[in-house]
Every structure is written in C-alpha cells, then in structure tokens.
Amino acid sequence: MDALLAPLLQPMTMVFMQRALAVGAVVAVVCAVLSCFMTLKGWALMGDAVSHAVLPGVVIAYALGLPFALGAFVFGVGSVGLIGAIKQYTRVKEDTVIGLVFTGFFALGLVLISKVRSSVDLSHILFGNLLGITDADLLQTVLISLACLALLLVLRRDLLLFCFDPSHARSIGLNTGALHYLLLTLVSLTAVAGLQTVGIILVVAMLVTPGATAYLLTDRFDRMTALAVLSAVSSTVLGIYASYWLDASTAGCIVVVQTLQFLLVMVLAPRHGLLARRRLS
Amino acid sequence: MTSSERRSEHCPAAAAQAPGIAVEHLTVGYNGRPAVVDVSLELSSGSICALVGMNGAGKSTLFKALMGFLKPSTGSIRIAGCGLRQAQREQMVAYVPQSEQVDWDFPIRVWDVVMMGRYGAMGPLRWSSGEDRRLVRRALERVDLWTLRDRQIGALSGGQRKRAFLARALAQGARVLLLDEPFSGVDISTERLIIDLLIELRDQGATVLLATHDLESIPSFCDRVVLINRTVLAYGDTSEVFTQANLLRTFSAASPTAQHS
C-alpha cells in the first residue's frame, strides 16, 4: 500500500509542492468558471488578446511596487478600449485590430522587462513559476482569484443572460455595456492570476479549455460550470505532479493534461462526442 | 424593492393613457450615416402594428433604436409616456428575437429561458420567488410547452422555439412587445397560436409591433401597418394603408443600401 501511495504522498511533504497545489487549485477554479462564459460568448480570441495585453501593466506594477492586479486592469481594459476605438474609426476589421493591438502591448511589455532590471524574471512571467512562487505573489494571486470568483458567482445569472441574449438583457433594463466591461475586467484580473500558474503565454488555455471540455458534456449551465472546475483542478493537480516526476515545465504539463482531457471528451462524450454523433447519424 | 425600481422615478400616472410607442422625428444610423430618417409613429395601447419593408429598409435599425442599442441622432422615443431606459427598467418592453440571432446550442433549458423573462423583477441575485415560478409555468402552459420545459432549447422544433421566446415575453408581463420576424420558419399551427396570443394580449391593452415578411396574414390580425424604406412611406389603419399600390411602392423602390454604397 505504501509503495502505491508513496509517489503521491512523498511530494506532498515538501512545502513548495503544497503551496503550488493549493494556489494552482484556487486559480484553476476561477479560470474554469470564467472559461464557461468565454466559450459561450465566443470570446476565446478576446481572452487571448487581453491576457497578453496585460504584460506591460504587470511589469510597470512590479517596478513601482504596486499590486500587479492594478496594472493588469489598466492595460487589459485599456487594450479592449483601444481595440474598440480603432475598429470604430478605421476600416480595419476586428480580428486584425485584435491581433495588432495585443501583440503591440505584449511587445511593449517585453521592452519594459528588458529595460527595468528589477526582481521581474521574464521567464517566470511568460511561463509561470508555480513551484517557486513568492509569498507576496501567492497572497495577491489568491486574493484576486477569490474576488473574481465571488463576483462571477454573484453575477452569474446576469452574465449568463448577457452571453445568451444581450437584447433581452437590455430590454429588461440591465446595463449591457457595464456587463461587457465587467466581463473583460474579470478576464484581465483572472489572466494575472493564471499568469502565476501557467504564465502569460498559456493562460488563454486556462480561460478556454475547461469550458470547452465541459460544454461537450452537458446541456445545463450549472453542471457545465461544475465540470469545468473539475477538469481545471484535476489537470492542474495532475500537471503539477507530472512536472515534478518528469522534471518538466509545470505550465506545459498542466496545459497538456488539460488538452488531453478535452480530446478524450471530444471523442467519448455521451451525447456531443464524435462517437456518439456518429452513432446518431 | 428591487434595484431597478430604486434607480428610476416612476412614470407619471398619465402614462396609462399615453401611447404604447411614440416615435417623433427619429433619425438614427451607424457611425453618423443615417439608416432611417425622420420616422414618426404613434401606436396606441391595445393595438397590433406590422412593420413592413425590404431587407435593408431599416426595420432592424428601427428595432435597435427601440431597444436602445442605437442612439438617435435626432428625434425621440417614448414608451407609455416614459423615456426608453426607464420603461425598460420598469419591465414595460419585451423583445422576441429573430431565430437567427439565437445560439441554439447554448446549455440552457426551456424553463431557464422563460425564467429570464422574470429577471428584471427579481433582486440582484436573480433568485426566483414562488410568484416568478407560477408566472413561468402559466406562460409555458399558454404556449403548450409545459411538458417540454426540461428540454435544452436547441432540442425544440422551429415553431416550439418561437413559442419559448414568446413565453418569456408573457412571463415578463410587458405592455409593449417587439417581435422580429415571429413567423419565419414556423408551421401553420404555431402561426395560428402566435396570432391568437397577440390578439389576446392586444385585448388586454398591450402594444404590439412586429417586423414581418408574411404579408398574407397581416390583414387578419394587424390593426395598423407601417411601410418603410429608410423613412415611413405610409402609416395608418390596415384597411387604408395595406394596399396593392402602397406595397408596390415599398418593394419596388430602388434599394436603399445601393444608393449609398
């Protein structure tokens, strides 16, 4: 029995593993809940854009000793405002504008990191540093995650209605403009939280994949949320273990496990999977 | 007291006598290019009005303005004597979307869709009361969908889908109904059910405005007709306005979009 459990329990005796698993799980929960709205709203590209565009904000916040959530918020929402403005006042199409703005912001972030030689380690921001997370980062990440999670849970019905039928949301007096920006703000903040676990490049996977996996498994939103959380947390835990035993990139392991889960579900899902569809048709 | 009530003053008592929809000299469009120009309409409570025009004539633009998605460059919109936002906050306006605008794969049940009609009347957490559930049930029964309430919305037929959204408007209890192509893709029995329902609502004092391509059914239940092509070509009682000559004028005029491109 001990021989079987040892590989699972032995890493848990180390503090850095305990911390990684705890923070990873908390971040996974908030990312998973948000990912349900992202996939239903069709905002994967927007999520990708916002998560990259927060980089200069994070670097500036680090350099000035401010909470990085603040920098992420300013640049995340700022990038979306800029995308909207360029789309409105020029003839350039939206997907082009999104691609243009987020890479521009991301590049600015890279320049800033290379000039501001502080405690900021580029590779930690790009690829995450879950196993070596500092106390300050850990605290901020957990606080941001819990705040976002609370907002998502309190407003989930309004956000769901906004994703499903903004016209109706508007006609019953909801402020759809505010909901739009609230959702984008939550993406910016959650991206900063996800940055700690998988880094800024892969954070969009956390914001899309769990929702997509769950979407194939159920036709009820509440169950979809629960399944997305299950998928995100389990792949984070498995990914951290895999990274420990293989001595491989933590971020890479987490996202690979997540993607494998999706592929498995895509084939085997009871009603919306490829096999089930073939049987039905 | 709900948050929506706190945000706004109540409409004057005279609102009961005010026309359901009053549009005055409305010009509205996209990025400064007007799509409808100088539209004036007054639809009294207890009437059904058909909005008829070619594709691109400005029907959708007018609807978007009536929903508050587009800001008028000039002119005004009053709903039952109130400003648009205030009327919306007080649950006076219900909207039934075109089928093409709905994501039918959305993980949501028929019951949940109809319950969304009650959201505006609920507290900020949108927890349904017994009264909400009773109204949802009644609306579902009225459109014969009670037994299908647990279906995912995409699992309904075309006619049933329309009825689900109509049930949402019923559950909302609005005085003004905006319907975008309610008869597209529905069978004859659903069309009959929808028409009967609209007549019933009209008799209870509702104002109904529907955009439709289904010209044949209009004289059987619409009291008034608006013919538009960028602006109002003709507007009035169905018997006077819904004539061969007027329809020819509406559908043979040079395409409004072609003139501008």
Side-chain angles (χ1 to χ4, degrees), chain A residues 40-41 88 153-158 160-161 163-176 215 218-222 224 271 277, chain B residues 7 31 67-69 85 88-89 91 93-95 97 102-103 105-109 113 116-117 119-120 124-127 152-153 165 168 172:
Chain A
L40 292 176
K41 187 82 186 147
Q88 188 173 356
L153 291 181
V154 167
L155 290 172
R156 73 180 192 286
R157 289 182 197 269
D158 284 24
L160 185 68
L161 173 55
C163 292
F164 176 61
D165 189 349
S167 302
H168 176 65
R170 177 98 198 171
S171 77
I172 62 169
L174 298 190
N175 188 340
T176 46
Y215 180 55
T218 177
D219 282 327
R220 302 259 190 109
F221 182 74
D222 288 342
M224 178 176 165
R271 286 183 56 202
R277 286 197 159 204
Chain B
R7 275 199 304 271
N31 296 330
M67 298 284 298
F69 276 114
R85 281 307 275 164
Q88 289 175 332
R89 285 189 198 116
Q91 308 305 310
V93 190
Y95 174 68
V102 178
D103 174 5
D105 285 326
F106 211 88
I108 195 172
R109 293 175 301 165
V113 170
M116 282 175 169
Y119 275 18
L125 289 176
R126 316 289 172 210
W127 276 335
Q152 190 264 337
I153 42 157
F165 279 85
R168 183 179 72 181
Q172 192 184 337

Side-chain angles (χ1 to χ4, degrees), chain B residues 35-46:
Chain B
V36 296
V37 179
D38 196 28
V39 167
S40 295
L41 293 172
E42 197 175 292
L43 308 184
S44 55
S45 298

Side-chain angles (χ1 to χ4, degrees), chain B residues 29-82:
Chain B
Y30 308 90
N31 296 330
R33 282 187 213 162
V36 296
V37 179
D38 196 28
V39 167
S40 295
L41 293 172
E42 197 175 292
L43 308 184
S44 55
S45 298
S47 69
I48 301 177
C49 177
L51 178 63
V52 176
M54 288 185 293
N55 290 328
K59 295 195 298 282
S60 317
T61 309
L62 189 57
F63 263 57
K64 281 182 193 158
L66 285 170
M67 298 284 298
F69 276 114
L70 292 174
K71 232 180 123 185
S73 34
T74 58
S76 69
I77 297 169
R78 311 284 294 170
I79 302 287
C82 314

Side-chain angles (χ1 to χ4, degrees), chain B residues 190-201:
Chain B
T190 292
E191 177 168 332
R192 199 59 247 173
L193 185 147
I194 294 175
I195 291 177
D196 287 346
L197 190 59
L198 294 180
I199 291 173
E200 190 183 312
L201 290 168

